Amino acid sequence: MLTVYSIPALESNYFWLLQPVPGEPDAYILDPGDAQPVMDCLHQHQLRLAGIIITHHHWDHTDGIDELLAHFPVPVYGPDSRRIPQVTHTLQDGDTLELPSLRLEVLAVPGHTLDHLAYLYTANQHTASQPAKLFCGDSLFAGGCGRMFEGQPEQMLASLNKLAALPEDTLVYCSHEYTLANLQFAVQVEPDNKALTERLQTVQQIRQQHLSTLPSTIAIERRTNPFLRCHLPAIKGAAEQHIGSKLTSDASVFAAIRRWKDQA
Ligand SMILES: [Zn+2]
């Protein structure tokens, strides 16, 4: 049974620490943008770093790698990118990352960056009652998605649709606590979505108590995240009204909403 520890760090990041077997000290850190909070979490739970897993090259996902490697000379798994020279084991779409007691499927999700990977943990026969867990970096966010820094709209929408097609109970562990701002934007796009307005209320209460809104689920995202709903008439209509012209494809709807959010 996989245990996931949440490490809130930097301004709005979460680093996820994965402990594959309860009671055993080996743990893997996902996207350490800073070393100290990871060291503190390892110490607190009496864990030992066994590997580092990276979704993409941005500094807030990678700046802690060197200091962690100075303490723990462990493998670094991640995309084949010259911008992450510390990666020792490169991965690409369709690969399976086989670690002792931990198996992650690798999904390429370009758009936020071109080198962006997501990792999917699926239950095996011993853990069949556990839902899948998705570690998706800055591609899909709770209630939103990452900024499109490097990719094209078609490409980023295809990445998001790939994630949206995962089983509905899949838990979504993204890398930032952006949920409240994302949902405040989402209700501008889709004010008549009851599931969305209810989610916004719930998230407002959670954030008033300074608690984490993660993980989300694919089911919740499909019902309330405008970037997974670009094929629906309500989203298309809102995007068209916002830009004042007709849109002819889901990708153009996605691009219009992404720009709208960037300017909001
Ligand atoms: Zn990023």
Side-chain angles (χ1 to χ4, degrees):
M1 181 178 130
L2 177 65
T3 306
V4 182
Y5 296 96
S6 162
I7 306 178
L10 303 173
E11 236 174 70
S12 63
N13 286 69
Y14 292 109
F15 313 150
W16 304 109
L17 186 69
L18 315 185
Q19 181 189 17
V21 183
E24 291 191 11
D26 279 358
Y28 298 86
I29 187 67
L30 207 103
D31 283 357
D34 187 9
Q36 194 56 51
V38 181
M39 301 290 289
D40 293 344
C41 188
L42 289 166
H43 182 74
Q44 184 189 346
H45 297 285
Q46 296 183 303
L47 299 173
R48 174 178 66 209
L49 195 67
I52 298 171
I53 304 169
I54 302 297
T55 62
H56 68 294
H57 71 273
H58 283 158
W59 70 270
D60 57 321
H61 300 251
T62 55
D63 264 14
I65 297 176
D66 288 338
E67 195 180 330
L68 288 172
L69 289 178
H71 291 90
F72 305 93
V74 296
V76 182
Y77 306 93
D80 187 0
S81 164
R82 59 183 167 75
R83 294 176 293 190
I84 322 171
Q86 302 97 329
V87 170
T88 55
H89 295 65
T90 60
L91 298 165
Q92 56 187 344
D93 190 44
D95 282 350
T96 301
L97 176 52
E98 294 273 5
L99 302 168
S101 310
L102 179 63
R103 191 170 177 274
L104 297 171
E105 293 171 33
V106 180
L107 304 167
V109 285
H112 174 68
T113 66
L114 293 177
D115 62 3
H116 204 307
L117 299 178
Y119 299 92
L120 182 68
Y121 168 84
T122 48
N124 58 30
Q125 67 270 29
H126 305 297
T127 57
S129 58
Q130 271 200 315
K133 294 178 166 68
L134 173 70
F135 301 94
C136 52
D138 294 351
S139 56
L140 174 65
F141 286 136
C145 70
R147 280 177 187 257
M148 196 169 55
F149 286 121
E150 295 180 2
Q152 297 302 313
E154 294 76 12
Q155 189 179 37
M156 183 143 188
L157 183 59
S159 295
L160 294 174
N161 285 341
K162 184 153 70 170
L163 301 181
L166 293 171
E168 288 222 308
D169 62 349
T170 303
L171 295 167
V172 178
Y173 295 83
C174 56
S175 287
H176 286 276
E177 181 59 69
Y178 289 158
T179 316
L180 180 56
N182 283 339
L183 295 176
Q184 284 166 339
F185 170 74
V187 294
Q188 292 182 52
V189 179
E190 209 180 1
D192 298 328
N193 180 339
K194 195 160 171 286
L196 172 57
T197 49
E198 285 173 3
R199 185 183 187 191
L200 175 58
Q201 278 182 0
T202 305
V203 162
Q204 276 167 334
Q205 288 164 5
I206 292 170
R207 291 306 294 156
Q208 273 164 10
Q209 299 167 57
H210 306 287
L211 299 174
S212 170
T213 61
L214 303 180
S216 173
T217 67
I218 290 294
I220 293 170
E221 296 310 318
R222 287 175 60 169
R223 283 201 294 270
T224 60
N225 186 327
F227 297 99
L228 302 187
R229 300 167 60 78
C230 294
H231 57 289
L232 297 173
I235 305 291
K236 181 170 180 278
E240 287 177 340
Q241 198 174 25
H242 182 72
I243 64 165
S245 63
K246 287 277 167 202
L247 294 166
T248 53
S249 68
D250 293 351
S252 63
V253 173
F254 171 79
I257 295 172
R258 187 57 265 180
R259 264 198 308 275
W260 183 358
K261 172 75 166 64
D262 290 344
Q263 292 155 2

